[in-house]
Amino acid sequence: MMTYERRGLLSELAIGVMVCGAAWYFGVRPVERRAEDVRAQAEALVAQGVGSGAAGELSLDELRAAAARVAERATAMHDLGRVAFNEARMLDELTNLARGHSLRLEQLQPDSGPPVPRPADGQAQHRDESIGYTMTVRGEFASIAAFLAQLPQTFPNSAVASVRLSAATDPTEPPVMAIISTHHWAFDTTLAARLAEAVLVAQPGDDR
């Protein structure tokens, strides 16, 4: 029979899973929209006429200031979440995260991840990427709940895809084993950065 304490821990764990499962809607998708926005801003800068000899609505100094902001955002966006594509680093990061919650990471297996939408016809081409991981951790209910809640915070552009729990049969082992699947995304904004940098190096004679 399940004790009151364990029922409470299971409720806490369920809340943690729901929070992590919502990461895509409140974390990854907004970041994806920001990546699209950065791309659009870079294209708009070039459309002002810099480098083409056309008169733009902004002065060259104003364009360069805007371009510097876009280039910085594009670089930061491009780097965000790319740690997930380095299996050795992910093993180190997850091992440390598990230890921080008094859990034992027993297995980590990468997979191809969820499909990534491709640009529609007429849109700038980019190479967004995704990868998945399945890991096995052992420990207490509350520790697993805290671990799940922290995963999307530790790994940007990620979400918990599924969690399977089972009770330990060996009394010498931690009470719960969790098999956790996660999805990770990285958004390609190299084209946006190059477009913005082209504005930054535009010659004064281009502003006419």
Side-chain angles (χ1 to χ4, degrees), residues 9 15 17 22 33 61 69 114 122 125 131 163 167 205:
L9 290 173
I15 292 170
V17 172
R33 285 197 293 268
D61 286 343
R69 292 192 297 270
Q125 296 299 303
I131 190 171
V163 180

Side-chain angles (χ1 to χ4, degrees), residues 29-194:
R29 181 52 190 155
V31 171
E32 185 180 48
R33 285 197 293 268
R34 289 199 296 274
E36 294 166 355
D37 182 53
V38 166
R39 292 167 183 148
Q41 287 185 46
E43 292 171 3
L45 285 171
V46 174
Q48 294 290 333
V50 174
S52 67
E57 296 178 1
L58 302 177
S59 70
L60 186 57
D61 286 343
E62 290 172 325
L63 281 168
R64 282 175 170 165
R69 292 192 297 270
V70 171
E72 183 179 359
R73 289 183 61 198
T75 300
M77 185 69 64
H78 187 78
D79 294 341
L80 196 64
R82 294 199 176 271
V83 64
F85 296 83
N86 185 322
E87 187 178 346
R89 283 193 60 190
M90 282 294 288
L91 179 60
D92 287 342
E93 295 275 356
L94 287 166
T95 297
N96 291 334
L97 183 61
R99 286 174 179 166
H101 291 284
S102 301
L103 299 173
R104 187 172 75 212
L105 178 68
E106 293 189 339
Q107 185 178 16
L108 179 65
Q109 180 66 43
D111 60 58
S112 58
V116 176
R118 294 302 174 191
D121 291 342
Q123 291 184 336
Q125 296 299 303
H126 51 78
R127 295 183 60 187
D128 294 343
E129 298 179 273
S130 69
I131 190 171
Y133 283 94
T134 299
M135 67 197 79
T136 302
V137 298
R138 289 183 184 269
E140 299 285 343
F141 282 104
S143 297
I144 292 173
F147 177 80
L148 287 168
Q150 194 172 346
L151 274 172
Q153 300 172 29
T154 303
F155 302 102
N157 302 356
S158 70
V160 174
S162 67
V163 180
R164 288 176 289 169
L165 302 174
S166 60
T169 56
D170 185 345
T172 64
E173 287 289 320
V176 181
M177 179 179 75
I179 300 176
I180 304 166
S181 293
T182 58
H183 290 164
H184 305 258
W185 293 264
F187 300 105
D188 175 24
T189 57
T190 52
L191 177 59
R194 285 199 298 268

